[in-house]
Amino acid sequence: VVSTQSTGWHHRFSHLQFYGARYYSYLWSRSIANLVFYNLFYDDPFSESGGERLKEFLRRGSSVNYKRSVEELVGYEFGLEEMVGALVEPVKMFSRGYLDQQT
């Protein structure tokens, strides 16, 4: 894609053609991390039981089915809606707090 002279090429989406699956892998990982945080550490960031569960999860590595292993860790089956929610909720929480400070 050739940029037109005197335009903001970075305002277009052509730069995304180089991202490929890497961008979506990042979103998948971010969603899983948020699910783990909100289910294990949100109420108590230093939770010993949450830490032990996370340690056991990490110890197994890729030797087991990843989705089932994450579901065991967070305590329920999750699908697309929960994963999208895990990405959106932190943004909504930040936005509410930020907007409240602006008024």
Side-chain angles (χ1 to χ4, degrees):
V1 177
V2 179
S3 64
T4 305
Q5 193 172 16
S6 301
T7 63
W9 64 269
H10 53 285
H11 294 159
R12 296 186 180 36
F13 291 98
S14 60
H15 67 284
L16 295 176
Q17 69 185 343
F18 302 108
Y19 283 13
R22 291 179 286 177
Y23 181 73
Y24 297 103
S25 295
Y26 165 76
L27 288 177
W28 175 265
S29 298
R30 179 72 179 247
S31 179
I32 297 291
N34 287 349
L35 284 173
V36 170
F37 174 77
Y38 285 109
N39 285 282
L40 271 64
F41 301 107
Y42 183 75
D43 292 329
D44 179 8
F46 300 105
S47 168
E48 188 173 341
S49 64
E52 288 298 321
R53 288 173 59 190
L54 182 59
K55 184 169 99 175
E56 177 60 24
F57 168 78
L58 294 172
R59 187 186 65 76
R60 289 187 253 165
S62 61
S63 66
V64 294
N65 180 292
Y66 183 72
K67 186 171 187 296
R68 275 191 233 131
S69 187
V70 173
E71 288 174 345
E72 284 179 25
L73 179 63
V74 298
Y76 60 91
E77 292 184 24
F78 61 88
L80 183 59
E81 287 185 30
E82 290 82 8
M83 293 191 69
V84 170
L87 292 171
V88 172
E89 283 306 313
V91 174
K92 287 166 63 178
M93 287 174 32
F94 171 77
S95 297
R96 279 191 299 264
Y98 178 77
L99 294 174
D100 289 345
Q101 293 175 6
Q102 301 306 307
T103 56

